[in-house]
Amino acid sequence: QVQLVESGGGLVQPGGSLRLSCAASGFTLDYYLIGWFRQAPGKEREGVSCISSSDGSTYYVDSVKGRFTISRDNAKNTVYLQMNSLKPDDTAVYYCAAVTIFRITTVQAMCVMSEDGMDYWGKGTLVTVSS
């Protein structure tokens, strides 16, 4: 079965940390760019961070720069999002997505593309930063 499964969400206090995981099943991530997107209540889904298939290129939306770190372990077929210094505004459902390297060439392009352009979406994991 082809799917992406997010995990690691939960409730955390402002200033705390969480690490989200996105595990692929039924296909390999070796030839895909992977991105983390989030949707907060009453807001549109936005690209948070995206990472290339192999060269280490990354993109971060301005609001998370210096606080979040995206990484991938192709051997484990998993992508991570380390989230530090969390703020209440980070509260959202976080989704991972994958798009083939033959459709998207830059991480910036992936993080701003429409939802319909992705090859695969996970079902999301909820991050709640209390205040």
Side-chain angles (χ1 to χ4, degrees):
Q1 185 176 18
V2 175
Q3 60 180 296
L4 295 172
V5 179
E6 304 95 336
S7 62
L11 175 64
V12 65
Q13 297 184 79
S17 298
L18 287 173
R19 189 179 75 159
L20 306 183
S21 298
C22 174
S25 299
F27 73 106
T28 178
L29 293 177
D30 291 358
Y31 301 103
Y32 291 82
L33 290 83
I34 306 298
W36 286 97
F37 298 76
R38 67 185 181 187
Q39 188 163 22
K43 297 183 178 180
E44 296 182 351
R45 188 172 299 186
E46 67 169 343
V48 177
S49 182
C50 295
I51 189 168
S52 69
S53 61
S54 60
D55 68 1
S57 297
T58 58
Y59 168 87
Y60 299 92
V61 68
D62 287 345
S63 61
V64 309
K65 287 181 178 178
R67 300 189 297 118
F68 291 10
T69 303
I70 190 171
S71 62
R72 65 189 298 160
D73 187 338
N74 285 354
K76 297 181 179 179
N77 221 25
T78 301
V79 175
Y80 306 96
L81 185 67
Q82 180 66 46
M83 309 165 66
N84 298 326
S85 301
L86 283 162
K87 305 175 181 179
D89 285 348
D90 295 319
T91 296
V93 177
Y94 284 72
Y95 303 86
C96 66
V99 61
T100 179
I101 60 174
F102 302 108
R103 294 184 61 189
I104 295 293
T105 58
T106 69
V107 291
Q108 292 89 346
M110 181 182 186
C111 265
V112 302
M113 72 183 299
S114 66
E115 297 180 28
D116 293 343
M118 304 296 178
D119 291 310
Y120 302 109
W121 280 102
K123 294 183 178 180
T125 185
L126 176 63
V127 172
T128 302
V129 185
S130 68
S131 63

